[in-house]
Amino acid sequence: MRYRLELDYIGTAYSGWQIQPERRTVQGEIETALSRLTGETVSVTGSGRTDAGVHALKQTAHFDLDREWECVRLTGGLNHFLPSDVRVLGVERASDDFHARYDCTEKSYVYCMYRAPERAFFADRAWAVDENVDVFLMNETAKLFVGEKDFSAFMAAGSDVKTTVRTVTRASVEERGGLILFDVAANGFLYNMVRIMTAVLEAVGRKRLGREEVELIIKSRDRSRVKGIAPACGLYLKSQTYKER
């Protein structure tokens, strides 16, 4: 029987989502908790991988069990065995062919920044940027990301994707509640794409880059033209959208 779960986590103490030898990962914690709860060896498949230090406001995953469980018991039992920085928001039965990764049609992320000086409250949760960054310029430039484009210039080395073309459906920057939030949604993201986008927008906000230069960077498809990458601590997987069945 297949189950779908939603969870959130603070990724500071983890080497990302995917299981790795001798490293603490979110997937590893969930699989361990499931095995302790059910007595079964369980493999969990997530909607995607998050890097070390990246957080999730909501991530979808699925797993199979040999026997049927009440969803409320799975939710409560998992949270009993999980550490406090990983929480299951809910579990529900899913069709046997549901796939948390391949059925996902859109993902959204939010990147959190705040104006320097550094604050203990935001430590490992957001990026301290220059206190004079221009959010209006950042938002106007973020609009350039919207649409179907080749985002080769915004992909870190080490990826083996078949295509670097992605469709961004939403990209905006706003300041709210003491935070500067870059909100972006797409049908998929390249390796480190959001963090590289954020670094470019931060440079625009400091007036180190102009909007026209960013437009040329996108068209160039040249990663060497983009300097820097935003730290992992400010990145949050926000939501996933799934096709109806």
Side-chain angles (χ1 to χ4, degrees):
M1 279 153 284
R2 181 154 295 184
Y3 294 86
R4 168 176 170 168
L5 66 80
E6 311 282 354
L7 70 150
D8 67 0
Y9 51 86
I10 296 297
T12 306
Y14 299 95
S15 297
W17 165 267
Q18 189 176 16
I19 283 183
Q20 302 172 55
E22 308 300 323
R23 292 185 180 272
R24 194 175 180 213
T25 67
V26 179
Q27 182 186 12
E29 293 289 342
I30 298 168
E31 291 185 357
T32 297
L34 273 168
S35 294
R36 293 179 68 185
L37 176 64
T38 67
E40 300 181 29
T41 300
V42 185
S43 177
V44 177
T45 300
S47 59
R49 304 172 185 174
T50 52
D51 293 332
V54 174
H55 320 294
L57 299 173
K58 186 176 81 169
Q59 180 160 1
T60 302
H62 77 259
F63 59 90
D64 295 329
L65 295 176
D66 291 337
R67 70 180 183 89
E68 187 172 5
W69 280 71
E70 292 181 1
C71 293
V72 68
R73 286 189 63 203
L74 285 172
T75 301
L78 282 170
N79 284 332
H80 173 75
F81 288 113
L82 283 168
S84 60
D85 52 5
V86 180
R87 293 287 90 182
V88 172
L89 305 175
V91 179
E92 62 183 35
R93 280 293 307 273
S95 60
D96 290 341
D97 59 349
F98 170 77
H99 198 286
R101 180 181 176 188
Y102 298 131
D103 288 351
C104 183
T105 58
E106 183 177 88
K107 292 181 183 178
S108 71
Y109 286 86
V110 61
Y111 193 99
C112 298
M113 296 163 272
Y114 64 97
R115 298 180 188 274
E118 293 187 9
R119 297 173 58 187
F121 184 81
F122 292 138
D124 297 323
R125 308 287 179 90
W127 181 23
V129 297
D130 189 285
E131 61 184 353
N132 296 313
V133 290
D134 190 321
V135 173
F136 176 80
L137 288 178
M138 294 169 73
N139 183 55
E140 288 299 301
T141 303
K143 295 175 183 177
L144 295 174
F145 297 138
V146 176
E148 184 181 75
K149 304 176 190 290
D150 188 326
F151 286 97
S152 298
F154 298 86
M155 180 179 70
S159 177
D160 58 354
V161 293
K162 294 180 180 178
T163 176
T164 51
V165 174
R166 297 291 185 272
T167 301
V168 174
T169 56
R170 181 178 74 249
S172 64
V173 181
E174 67 171 332
E175 191 162 10
R176 188 173 69 228
L179 290 170
I180 299 168
L181 305 173
F182 172 40
D183 186 26
V184 60
N187 64 347
F189 290 90
L190 303 172
Y191 183 42
N192 286 159
M193 179 172 159
V194 180
R195 291 169 60 191
I196 296 169
M197 284 177 159
T198 305
V200 166
L201 293 175
E202 188 266 349
V204 170
R206 289 187 293 121
K207 300 180 182 177
R208 300 290 180 88
L209 274 179
R211 189 177 188 276
E212 298 76 14
E213 292 174 274
V214 176
E215 192 167 16
L216 290 174
I217 288 171
I218 296 171
K219 291 178 179 178
S220 76
R221 297 177 291 177
D222 183 0
R223 173 69 179 99
S224 67
R225 297 187 63 170
V226 181
K227 306 302 180 185
I229 181 171
C233 64
L235 184 58
Y236 295 75
L237 177 59
K238 183 180 178 182
S239 66
Q240 298 98 75
T241 302
Y242 286 88
K243 57 188 178 183
E244 294 183 8
R245 289 180 171 273

CSV table of all heavy atoms in Angstrom, one decimal, residues 37 42 63 83 101 121 131 140-141 147 161 166 188 190 193-194 208 215 232:
chain,number,residue,atom,x,y,z
A,37,LEU,N,8.7,2.5,13.6
A,37,LEU,CA,7.3,2.5,13.8
A,37,LEU,C,6.6,1.3,13.3
A,37,LEU,O,5.8,0.7,14.0
A,37,LEU,CB,6.7,3.8,13.2
A,37,LEU,CG,5.1,3.9,13.3
A,37,LEU,CD1,4.7,4.0,14.7
A,37,LEU,CD2,4.7,5.1,12.4
A,42,VAL,N,11.7,0.3,5.0
A,42,VAL,CA,10.9,1.2,4.1
A,42,VAL,C,11.8,2.2,3.3
A,42,VAL,O,12.8,2.8,3.9
A,42,VAL,CB,9.9,2.0,5.0
A,42,VAL,CG1,9.0,2.9,4.0
A,42,VAL,CG2,9.1,1.1,5.9
A,63,PHE,N,5.9,6.4,0.1
A,63,PHE,CA,6.5,5.2,0.6
A,63,PHE,C,5.4,4.1,0.6
A,63,PHE,O,4.2,4.4,0.5
A,63,PHE,CB,7.1,5.3,2.0
A,63,PHE,CG,6.1,5.7,3.1
A,63,PHE,CD1,5.4,4.8,3.8
A,63,PHE,CD2,5.8,7.1,3.3
A,63,PHE,CE1,4.4,5.1,4.7
A,63,PHE,CE2,4.9,7.4,4.3
A,63,PHE,CZ,4.2,6.5,5.0
A,83,PRO,N,13.3,13.6,14.9
A,83,PRO,CA,13.9,14.7,15.7
A,83,PRO,C,13.0,15.9,15.5
A,83,PRO,O,12.2,16.0,14.6
A,83,PRO,CB,15.2,14.9,15.1
A,83,PRO,CG,15.1,14.3,13.7
A,83,PRO,CD,14.2,13.2,13.8
A,101,ARG,N,8.0,12.3,-7.2
A,101,ARG,CA,8.9,13.1,-8.1
A,101,ARG,C,8.3,13.3,-9.5
A,101,ARG,O,8.2,14.4,-10.0
A,101,ARG,CB,10.3,12.4,-8.1
A,101,ARG,CG,11.3,13.1,-9.0
A,101,ARG,CD,12.6,12.4,-9.1
A,101,ARG,NE,13.5,13.1,-10.0
A,101,ARG,CZ,14.7,12.6,-10.4
A,101,ARG,NH1,15.1,11.4,-9.9
A,101,ARG,NH2,15.5,13.2,-11.2
A,121,PHE,N,18.6,35.8,15.5
A,121,PHE,CA,17.3,35.2,15.2
A,121,PHE,C,17.2,34.6,13.8
A,121,PHE,O,16.6,33.5,13.7
A,121,PHE,CB,16.2,36.3,15.3
A,121,PHE,CG,14.8,35.7,15.1
A,121,PHE,CD1,14.1,35.1,16.2
A,121,PHE,CD2,14.1,35.8,13.9
A,121,PHE,CE1,12.9,34.5,16.1
A,121,PHE,CE2,12.8,35.2,13.8
A,121,PHE,CZ,12.2,34.6,14.8
A,131,GLU,N,22.6,46.4,3.7
A,131,GLU,CA,21.4,47.1,4.3
A,131,GLU,C,20.8,48.1,3.3
A,131,GLU,O,19.6,48.5,3.5
A,131,GLU,CB,21.7,47.8,5.6
A,131,GLU,CG,22.8,48.9,5.5
A,131,GLU,CD,23.1,49.4,6.8
A,131,GLU,OE1,22.5,49.1,7.8
A,131,GLU,OE2,24.1,50.2,6.9
A,140,GLU,N,12.0,44.1,-10.2
A,140,GLU,CA,11.9,44.4,-11.7
A,140,GLU,C,12.8,43.4,-12.5
A,140,GLU,O,12.4,43.0,-13.5
A,140,GLU,CB,12.3,45.9,-11.9
A,140,GLU,CG,11.2,46.9,-11.5
A,140,GLU,CD,9.9,46.7,-12.2
A,140,GLU,OE1,9.9,46.7,-13.4
A,140,GLU,OE2,8.9,46.4,-11.5
A,141,THR,N,13.9,43.1,-11.9
A,141,THR,CA,14.8,42.2,-12.6
A,141,THR,C,14.4,40.8,-12.5
A,141,THR,O,14.5,40.0,-13.5
A,141,THR,CB,16.3,42.3,-12.0
A,141,THR,OG1,16.7,43.7,-12.1
A,141,THR,CG2,17.3,41.5,-12.8
A,147,GLY,N,9.0,32.8,-17.8
A,147,GLY,CA,8.8,32.3,-19.2
A,147,GLY,C,9.6,31.0,-19.4
A,147,GLY,O,10.4,30.6,-18.5
A,161,VAL,N,21.5,16.8,-16.4
A,161,VAL,CA,20.2,16.9,-16.9
A,161,VAL,C,20.2,16.8,-18.5
A,161,VAL,O,21.1,17.2,-19.1
A,161,VAL,CB,19.5,18.2,-16.5
A,161,VAL,CG1,19.3,18.2,-15.0
A,161,VAL,CG2,20.3,19.4,-16.9
A,166,ARG,N,13.8,25.5,-18.8
A,166,ARG,CA,12.8,25.4,-17.8
A,166,ARG,C,11.7,26.5,-18.0
A,166,ARG,O,12.1,27.6,-18.6
A,166,ARG,CB,13.4,25.6,-16.4
A,166,ARG,CG,14.3,24.4,-16.0
A,166,ARG,CD,13.6,23.1,-15.8
A,166,ARG,NE,14.5,22.0,-15.3
A,166,ARG,CZ,15.2,21.2,-16.1
A,166,ARG,NH1,15.1,21.4,-17.5
A,166,ARG,NH2,16.0,20.3,-15.6
A,188,GLY,N,10.3,23.0,-13.1
A,188,GLY,CA,11.5,22.3,-12.6
A,188,GLY,C,12.7,23.3,-12.4
A,188,GLY,O,12.6,24.4,-13.0
A,190,LEU,N,17.1,23.7,-12.2
A,190,LEU,CA,18.4,23.1,-12.3
A,190,LEU,C,19.2,23.1,-11.0
A,190,LEU,O,18.8,23.8,-10.0
A,190,LEU,CB,19.2,23.9,-13.4
A,190,LEU,CG,18.5,24.0,-14.8
A,190,LEU,CD1,19.2,25.0,-15.7
A,190,LEU,CD2,18.4,22.6,-15.4
A,193,MET,N,20.0,26.4,-9.1
A,193,MET,CA,19.4,27.5,-9.9
A,193,MET,C,18.9,28.6,-9.1
A,193,MET,O,19.1,29.8,-9.4
A,193,MET,CB,18.3,26.9,-10.8
A,193,MET,CG,17.6,27.9,-11.7
A,193,MET,SD,16.5,27.0,-12.9
A,193,MET,CE,15.3,28.2,-13.3
A,194,VAL,N,18.1,28.3,-8.1
A,194,VAL,CA,17.5,29.4,-7.3
A,194,VAL,C,18.6,30.2,-6.5
A,194,VAL,O,18.5,31.4,-6.4
A,194,VAL,CB,16.4,28.9,-6.3
A,194,VAL,CG1,15.8,30.0,-5.5
A,194,VAL,CG2,15.3,28.1,-7.1
A,208,ARG,N,25.5,46.5,-8.5
A,208,ARG,CA,26.7,45.9,-9.1
A,208,ARG,C,26.4,45.3,-10.5
A,208,ARG,O,27.3,45.1,-11.3
A,208,ARG,CB,27.3,44.9,-8.2
A,208,ARG,CG,27.7,45.3,-6.8
A,208,ARG,CD,28.9,46.3,-6.8
A,208,ARG,NE,29.2,46.7,-5.5
A,208,ARG,CZ,30.1,46.1,-4.7
A,208,ARG,NH1,30.6,44.9,-5.0
A,208,ARG,NH2,30.4,46.6,-3.5
A,215,GLU,N,19.7,40.4,-18.4
A,215,GLU,CA,19.0,39.9,-19.6
A,215,GLU,C,20.1,39.3,-20.6
A,215,GLU,O,19.8,38.3,-21.2
A,215,GLU,CB,18.3,41.1,-20.3
A,215,GLU,CG,17.4,40.7,-21.4
A,215,GLU,CD,16.4,41.8,-21.8
A,215,GLU,OE1,16.7,43.0,-21.5
A,215,GLU,OE2,15.4,41.5,-22.5
A,232,ALA,N,23.2,28.4,1.2
A,232,ALA,CA,22.1,27.5,1.4
A,232,ALA,C,21.1,27.9,2.5
A,232,ALA,O,19.9,27.6,2.4
A,232,ALA,CB,22.6,26.1,1.6
